[in-house]
Amino acid sequence: MTKQTWNATQYALNGRFVADLAGGVIDLLDARPGEHILDLGCGDGALTAKIAASGAQVKGVDSSESMVAAARAVGIDAQVMDADALDFDHEFDAVFSNAALHWMRNQDTVLAGVHRALKPGGRFVAEMGGHGNIAAIQVALLAVFSKNGIDPARIEQNYFPTPASYESRLRHHGFDIHYIELLPRPTPLPESGMSGWLQTFRSGIFQQLPEAERESALKETVELLKPFLCDDLGKWTADYVRLRFLAVAL
Ligand code: BEZ
């Protein structure tokens, strides 16, 4: 199975929209001055800084060294830590996460760690890819990679649950669900379009191919998607669907 790797410089160019579109989940968090908050999958710290601006004390963790270095460079208290090895004991008023949970393979271990990190009554507020997220992009990748002899099962998959499925998982780990909703969010991409998106968010998959074949596979994927996700002005929109929730640790 390929593993996605992150490059903070490339992410800043092609992925800034992820933080820019997170206003709704930041509002749902409703961070208050003096609260201790953990940002799980903090990336380059763009949202961690927004949360800290509320007066809360925020710590970020991320599995990517490149991202943690970028977060530290802007003054965030950030640490490299895998989400399935969270090392916190009932110390946070809230755990926040944006666009990170869908990368995590061991969901049950992650949720157990989040619950353990929270004080009783603490909030877990998050947004992740939900059921149907990037369906067209995934199908195009499967088509191109199957043709190139790459077993689709080896292609990195994300976890995009339905609200019912994730609610049941959260309950199993001792959370009460105050809000959970699936939100279709067609997302306009920056100038780099689908090619930039694929090179940023699916780099692990393209690295499966011999270097000489990557460019043509990338072009082929973009061409397959063009009639569905690109308008006649050349503007690309990704078929995003979000799952947003607020759960409280019992
Ligand atoms: C997402 O934020 O939904 C997402 C981003 C990259 C790959 C897969 C999903």
Side-chain angles (χ1 to χ4, degrees):
M1 174 86 71
T2 55
K3 186 153 168 45
Q4 175 69 26
T5 53
W6 297 104
N7 172 301
T9 310
Q10 192 181 43
Y11 191 88
L13 276 177
N14 298 327
R16 179 57 55 223
F17 67 89
V18 174
D20 291 346
L21 293 173
V25 68
I26 291 274
D27 289 348
L28 187 63
L29 173 65
D30 191 21
R32 289 154 230 156
E35 281 193 321
H36 289 254
I37 297 181
L38 177 68
D39 184 356
L40 175 60
C42 66
D44 61 10
L47 292 178
T48 329
K50 273 196 185 161
I51 299 167
S54 68
Q57 287 191 32
V58 196
K59 181 174 188 68
V61 292
D62 202 288
S63 60
S64 158
E65 283 182 22
S66 170
M67 289 297 195
V68 166
R72 284 188 174 157
V74 294
I76 304 291
D77 170 17
Q79 193 179 335
V80 177
M81 193 183 284
D82 282 334
D84 52 12
L86 293 179
D87 190 17
F88 305 107
D89 194 16
H90 305 297
E91 49 201 278
F92 292 102
D93 299 290
V95 174
F96 171 85
S97 184
N98 182 57
L101 287 168
H102 50 246
W103 293 106
M104 299 172 191
R105 298 218 178 109
N106 305 316
Q107 287 289 323
D108 289 313
T109 314
V110 172
L111 292 183
V114 169
H115 193 277
R116 196 168 46 247
L118 285 167
K119 298 174 185 171
R123 317 183 304 284
F124 182 25
V125 177
E127 194 168 292
M128 65 194 289
H131 193 67
N133 193 41
I134 59 163
I137 299 175
Q138 292 286 77
V139 171
L141 283 167
L142 287 180
V144 170
F145 278 77
S146 308
K147 216 181 79 181
N148 280 278
I150 305 277
D151 175 2
R154 285 176 57 205
I155 294 176
E156 165 103 41
Q157 296 294 332
N158 296 104
Y159 170 59
F160 299 136
T162 60
S165 152
Y166 212 63
E167 176 164 346
S168 141
R169 208 180 261 273
L170 285 162
R171 284 193 195 286
H172 177 76
H173 286 279
F175 289 97
D176 193 24
I177 317 304
H178 286 213
Y179 162 83
I180 188 160
E181 193 175 5
L182 197 64
L183 304 161
R185 186 194 288 151
T187 298
L189 297 181
E191 275 309 295
S192 55
M194 185 51 64
S195 177
W197 190 93
L198 291 166
Q199 289 175 80
T200 304
F201 294 104
R202 283 294 183 258
S203 60
I205 297 178
F206 284 92
Q207 275 154 21
Q208 291 268 310
L209 292 171
E211 202 167 345
E213 291 169 27
R214 286 180 202 160
E215 185 69 29
S216 67
L218 183 68
K219 280 205 177 116
E220 200 180 341
T221 313
V222 169
E223 285 308 309
L224 268 181
L225 287 166
K226 211 171 194 171
F228 308 104
L229 299 182
C230 186
D231 72 7
D232 54 2
L233 302 174
K235 288 294 293 175
W236 284 88
T237 300
D239 51 341
Y240 273 25
V241 178
R242 308 280 88 188
L243 181 66
R244 187 187 292 169
F245 63 85
L246 189 169
V248 170
L250 296 171

